[in-house]
Amino acid sequence: MPAVSKGDGMRGLAVFISDIRNCKSKEAEIKRINKELANIRSKFKGDKALDGYSKKKYVCKLLFIFLLGHDIDFGHMEAVNLLSSNKYTEKQIGYLFISVLVNSNSELIRLINNAIKNDLASRNPTFMCLALHCIANVGSREMAEAFASEIPRILVAGDTMDSVKQSAALCLLRLYKTSPDLVPMGEWTSRVVHLLNDQHMGVVTAAVSLIACLCKKNPDDFKTCVSLAVSRLSRIVSSASTDLQDYTYYFVPAPWLSVKLLRLLQCYPPPEDAAVKGRLVECLETILNKAQEPPKSKKVQHSNAKNAILFEAISLIIHYDSEPNLLVRACNQLGQFLQHRETNLRYLALESMCTLASSEFSHEAVKTHIETVINALKTERDVSVRQRAADLLYAMCDRTNAKQIVSEMLSYLETADYSIREEIVLKVAILAEKYAVDYSWYVDTILNLIRIAGDYVSEEVWYRVIQIVINRDDVQGYAAKTVFEALQAPACHENMVKVGGYILGEFGNLIAGDPRSSPLVQFNLLHSKFHLCSVSTRALLLSTYIKFINLFPETKGTIQEVLRSDSQIRNADVELQQRAVEYLKLSSIASTDVLATVLEEMPPFPERESSILAKLKKKKGPGAGSELDDGKKDPNSEINGGMEPSASTASTPSPSADLLGLRAAPVATSGGPGNLLVDVFSDSSSAATGLVPGAEDNFLSSDLEPPPESPASLWVDAGLPADSGAAASVSEDPSLPIAEADELLNKFVCKNNGVLFENQLLQIGVKSEFRQNLGRMYLFYGNKTSVQFQSFTPTVSYPGDLQSHLNIQTKAVEPLVEGGAQVQQVLNIECLNDFTEAPLINLKFRYGGTLQNLTLKLPITVNKFFQATEMPQQEAQKIFKANHAMDSEVTKAKLLGFGSALLEKVDPNPDNYVGAGIIQTKALQVGCLLRLEPNAQAQMYRLTLRTSKESVSKHLCELLSQQF
């Protein structure tokens, strides 16, 4: 409301406000207001010849009364009448009253819209601005329908004044936010981008806000804004504080505009134009350099403006994740803030470093600040800062510092705030499992976790330790011994009793040889905790007791007495009573063999995504995607079910993406920027960490026996029926594969799982299995960016006459791949005849409006259909120089991975290798024999391959010789 003074001629309003302020009580105020309302109502009804000044005065009074909290049910028409006045003050009060008191469903909206149209058409900049402000303030759908097509024309018109452009841009932004479907995208969109070059900084600021909102839904229409935004940002950053005097805030040139420009650039990938990219890098370096300069003012406003630009620049650097120098410099700058006296800066630094920790370029730089972060976790007074410190420790953790970080987090847990204890427990459990090289350390950590914060250890945590102990033979004895010792503590948490009961019931026999942990001692120890536990834990212990009868027959009498007691078979709880009665009867009537069958040891659990990680994501809330899923894979993660490191895959670890390396074949998952992909494949042969795509797809698990069905059953559960005949779409003119396609293909000759291709945008992972002449391949397409892939289309094609030798059925994938998401495609493969060429897969998709086209060779070679055999004639031989170190174990592994069986004691020279196998095709079976003769002194090999078909001999000889 404009300031009221005697000079405005509204003395009556000033007197009324003074009277209200002088009221001694609420009742006096209400009485004065009611008197005034009666007077205004009589004026509006009685005197039809009210002039504009009187209407303005009375409408102003009504507005003031409304702002005091009283309802106003009249005066609206008078306010609408003020809109037709040619006096600014009267029109302003009318628009103000409408903006505050008229709702979107009012019957007066049509009259208001007509008045607004008249003002917009008047070309009077003052009246146009008032009308635009009213549209933005009301922002109703009716106004959007009336003016959404008109406002863009005003915005881009050449004769529109700067103040009107500014108001039009913000008004259009408001309408787009409330009714995006009503704002038409047209030729004005390309013209609005050029407002970034406008001479008026206010217009530029408003235009950036509008473009940043519009480009999120229509990035292609506004992609030209990148170069203009970089140009404008460069001019601001390189300018002195005196150059933009009207827009300089405490010696910082245009801080709000700089922040908006940096945020706008985060909507797009790095510029492809080298000149634009170079200019942007120069801007970012300048911002980082200015952060190091001494402050030009001691005012807090100066440091706030300067740091706002700095943090937004760091966010842009993290978003691009392509400039190692800038990432490391950003990390070092944030490291200086970790010890700043301002709490907010420490908080923001920790939060930004969490994201930096996920970059392969800056992860090591983040790790150098580990001691500072640990100190913050221990000494910060603000709980939110301590929580961010815990998040950063979690994000920077890898195999080199896992034990130190887990130890510090456990230490902090003893004094941590109750509000964050559960989250820290989940993080400790995840890190302990992900980086457990020695699983005895993992067991110790989880039991220590239960001891320190048992009330905050959820079921998912102790379920998970049970699963891992059952799946790993090497840790079962240690786990039994450790929980037995933990249960001897006088005060023992109930979760410890649950873990102890389950593990001793399964593996108590492994420590029963020691008199100190004899069967009866184990039973008495567990039973001493029985009366202190809840019903669910008692039920678990009763199951442990019946397991003891099977493991230790000598305890049968003692346990039966417990089961027979009135406190069990007459228990008020139905579950406990039923268990006691059934277990007692089972132990009495069942023979030893039947008991052993019914109570046999639990089989290994199928490996899938850890429920602890899922619970942590749920705990962090919907905004946690970027923090929890952001990141790269651990270069050493093959120890716990990850893939083997290579030049294209070894990188720094993620905070939690596939923390456990045990994912099932995943569906698409979202997150924030960076490499958000899940490690879905493992070359590790450990029994505990084999990966299965799901319970129904156990055919792909190296740890499970193959199903007894025929090879045709491989077609089941892959999304296509066996007889569907849905052949892969064939490209009529397939593009040529990329230059390194052969090199990528060769990596898969002796293995079935791994990363087929990876670049800045995309990662393609492969997991496959073959049996006889059939195979199934899972392709995992991961979007490494934060920008959506559109029209994503993978197409399989056959070079030459390959289609008559190989049949591939594909399952369609979703055409949209969200930023940070991963989608899976299943390929069912049938080998009809021997072949020498590999099929091609062509990927087409739109990224940031640009069509991406990529063609690779699928890792399907004829040796994939090898079937190992003991049987022994066309021959191919090749003598070649060794390209790698001649290691016998590596050689054996490659020959086995090639698909043949190694025959022992066949060749009189023990240094030679002899293998045999059969290539299965639908048309025929090709028997194969091979001999590899290494000469260590000359660093040479002689490879002899004999098959029933000459072309196969030559091709296999060529394939295998490239591996040594």
Side-chain angles (χ1 to χ4, degrees), residues 410 412-429 446 448-462 493-496 498 612 615-616 619:
L410 279 174
Y412 170 65
L413 192 56
E414 298 191 37
T415 56
D417 297 80
Y418 296 111
S419 59
I420 63 173
R421 282 196 178 189
E422 184 180 3
E423 186 180 322
I424 291 179
V425 165
L426 292 173
K427 288 180 174 178
V428 169
I446 300 300
N448 205 14
L449 202 59
I450 296 173
R451 180 186 61 80
I452 294 171
D455 290 337
Y456 299 91
V457 175
S458 61
E459 288 184 337
E460 287 84 358
V461 175
W462 74 265
H493 195 273
E494 188 170 332
N495 280 332
M496 187 73 79
K498 291 177 181 177
I612 310 177
K615 184 173 179 67
L616 180 58
K619 175 81 176 168

Side-chain angles (χ1 to χ4, degrees), residues 40-82:
I40 297 172
R41 187 178 277 110
S42 67
K43 292 290 185 182
F44 283 167
K45 286 186 177 180
D47 192 350
K48 300 298 183 182
L50 275 180
D51 57 10
Y53 157 75
S54 299
K55 286 181 183 178
K56 176 183 71 170
K57 180 177 66 173
Y58 294 135
V59 167
C60 240
K61 287 184 179 181
L62 290 176
L63 189 55
F64 180 74
I65 293 170
F66 175 79
L67 295 178
L68 290 176
H70 300 272
D71 291 333
I72 300 297
D73 56 3
F74 69 99
H76 298 76
M77 181 56 75
E78 284 72 16
V80 173
N81 291 336
L82 285 175

Side-chain angles (χ1 to χ4, degrees), residues 727-731 734 796-810 828 837-840:
S729 55
V730 181
S731 171
V796 175
S797 60
Y798 305 89
D801 63 344
L802 181 62
Q803 193 165 8
S804 62
H805 298 253
L806 204 62
N807 180 32
I808 302 176
Q809 296 179 356
T810 62
N828 289 324
E837 291 292 326
L840 305 178

Side-chain angles (χ1 to χ4, degrees), residues 114-136:
N114 287 334
I116 291 174
K117 284 181 180 178
N118 292 334
D119 283 337
L120 291 179
S122 70
R123 311 309 294 174
N124 182 320
T126 306
F127 291 174
M128 291 178 75
C129 286
L130 285 174
L132 290 168
H133 295 169
C134 180
I135 296 171

Side-chain angles (χ1 to χ4, degrees), residues 691-747:
L691 302 179
V692 290
E696 72 277 14
D697 288 334
N698 58 11
F699 153 67
L700 287 183
S701 171
S702 60
D703 304 320
L704 302 175
E705 288 297 320
E709 290 85 343
S710 68
S713 68
L714 298 187
W715 298 111
V716 182
D717 295 330
L720 291 170
D723 58 349
S724 69
S729 55
V730 181
S731 171
E732 293 184 6
D733 183 23
S735 58
L736 294 175
I738 61 175
E740 60 268 29
D742 287 326
E743 180 184 346
L744 296 173
L745 177 68
N746 283 337
K747 294 193 326 187

